[in-house]
């Protein structure tokens, strides 16, 4: 059974960088042909795909976030990490990590087979 667990600070100040880590158990993040995504859901809105890192280590980003987002991985720890710079209150959301077979660029597809439970991030001074 694959499990994903998000971790990171729940409160970030405006203009700072948000960093979240997704720890995966029960399967390797380097296994063919899985993609590991970050998805967020602001209050009262739908889920937004932010970006993904592939089994190969290649990264893919939403065009709307491309200038602020960076996703990396540590295969020795079986973790992948989201960094979102210059955050504003509009970045407040529940942040999820999820797995798919093949790259998905939407936050609502049923093709994500495993999800983390989500972590709330607030942006406030």
């Amino acid at each position: 059974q694959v499990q994903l667990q998000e971790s990171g600070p729940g409160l970030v100040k405006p203009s700072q960088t948000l960093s979240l880590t997704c720890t995966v158990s029960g399967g390797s993040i380097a296994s063919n042909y899985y993609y590991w995504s970050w998805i967020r859901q602001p209050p009262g809105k739908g889920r937004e795909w932010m970006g993904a890192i592939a089994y190969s280590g290649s990264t893919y980003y939403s065009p709307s976030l491309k200038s602020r987002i960076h996703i990396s991985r540590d295969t020795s720890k079986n973790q992948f990490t989201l960094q979102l710079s210059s955050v504003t209150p509009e970045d407040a959301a529940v942040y999820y990590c999820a797995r798919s077979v093949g790259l998905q660029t939407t936050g609502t597809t049923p093709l994500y087979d495993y999800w983390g439970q989500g972590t709330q991030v607030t942006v406030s001074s």
Side-chain angles (χ1 to χ4, degrees):
Q1 179 78 1
V2 175
Q3 294 184 318
L4 291 80
Q5 177 71 56
E6 304 92 348
S7 60
L11 177 64
V12 183
K13 294 182 179 180
S15 80
Q16 291 189 340
T17 295
L18 163 68
S19 292
L20 296 175
T21 295
C22 184
T23 300
V24 179
S25 59
S28 171
I29 62 172
S31 293
N32 298 342
Y33 296 95
Y34 293 116
Y35 291 72
W36 306 88
S37 288
W38 286 100
I39 295 157
R40 67 180 180 179
Q41 186 167 20
K45 297 184 179 180
R47 291 184 176 181
E48 175 191 17
W49 178 79
M50 302 178 68
I53 188 163
Y55 60 95
S56 62
S58 296
T59 53
Y60 307 84
Y61 301 132
S62 169
S64 65
L65 296 172
K66 193 170 186 178
S67 64
R68 299 196 291 132
I69 190 173
H70 181 67
I71 298 175
S72 59
R73 68 178 185 174
D74 185 337
T75 54
S76 68
K77 296 181 179 178
N78 218 34
Q79 296 175 333
F80 61 105
T81 299
L82 167 72
Q83 291 183 303
L84 185 66
S85 63
S86 305
V87 298
T88 71
E90 285 67 41
D91 293 309
V94 177
Y95 284 73
Y96 300 90
C97 54
R99 188 187 83 167
S100 63
V101 178
L103 178 65
Q104 308 299 324
T105 59
T106 173
T108 57
T109 174
L111 294 178
Y112 294 107
D113 55 357
Y114 290 100
W115 290 78
Q117 85 286 355
T119 187
Q120 177 72 53
V121 174
T122 300
V123 179
S124 175
S125 55

